[in-house]
Amino acid sequence: MRTAYFAHSKRKYNTADEAAELAFIQKHFKGEVICPNNNLGELGGIEPYLKVIQSTNCVYVSEYFGMIGRGVYDECHFALTNGINVVAVRKDIKGKFFVQIVRDVVEINENDFIRFGLLITK
């Protein structure tokens, strides 16, 4: 079975934004979607999440105020380094979701784990 991982800020956990993004991903992706908040819970460090990502077909990622935090950066960087597609979930000006292929992630602020990096899309 095809699986996808939903990488997103913990600040979105249990919010309407998380629910809306997850619903969109579940419609967009043909397979099982793993949401760390709903399906995995708190596993300690980043390694257990990377192990889950390693077994997926792709990673969907959402930004938090246009940026990604350290954990999401690590998840996306790991996926890209291991040949796993990363897809950004974004909204247009009318509030409709769309996706863009992520080709890279860049670190812009090593001292801020919430506004740590940016997604570079095609």
Side-chain angles (χ1 to χ4, degrees):
M1 171 182 238
R2 291 175 38 85
T3 57
Y5 181 89
F6 176 28
H8 61 296
S9 173
K10 286 185 176 183
R11 291 178 181 249
K12 286 190 174 185
Y13 282 18
N14 305 312
T15 66
D17 284 344
E18 179 189 52
E21 290 170 353
L22 183 57
F24 169 77
I25 294 166
Q26 288 170 327
K27 284 182 186 173
H28 187 266
F29 183 75
K30 306 300 182 228
E32 178 188 2
V33 178
I34 300 165
C35 174
N37 181 32
N38 297 337
N39 304 114
L40 303 176
E42 185 56 53
L43 301 177
I46 191 73
E47 290 301 323
Y49 301 98
L50 300 182
K51 192 166 249 179
V52 171
I53 289 169
Q54 195 168 22
S55 68
T56 64
N57 300 98
C58 75
V59 171
Y60 282 81
V61 58
S62 77
E63 294 148 309
Y64 184 71
F65 293 103
M67 305 178 95
I68 56 173
R70 176 62 192 262
V72 173
Y73 172 93
D74 288 344
E75 290 169 338
C76 292
H77 184 266
F78 177 84
L80 291 166
T81 301
N82 286 279
I84 299 167
N85 290 332
V86 178
V87 181
V89 175
R90 293 181 165 159
K91 278 187 183 178
D92 64 19
I93 58 171
K94 294 180 180 177
K96 185 175 181 198
F97 286 111
F98 68 97
V99 296
Q100 290 183 305
I101 302 296
V102 175
R103 62 180 170 88
D104 202 3
V105 289
V106 293
E107 178 183 322
I108 61 161
N109 190 353
E110 68 181 41
N111 298 319
D112 187 340
F113 279 17
I114 296 163
R115 294 174 185 88
F116 186 82
L118 294 172
L119 301 175
I120 307 299
T121 56
K122 290 187 177 179

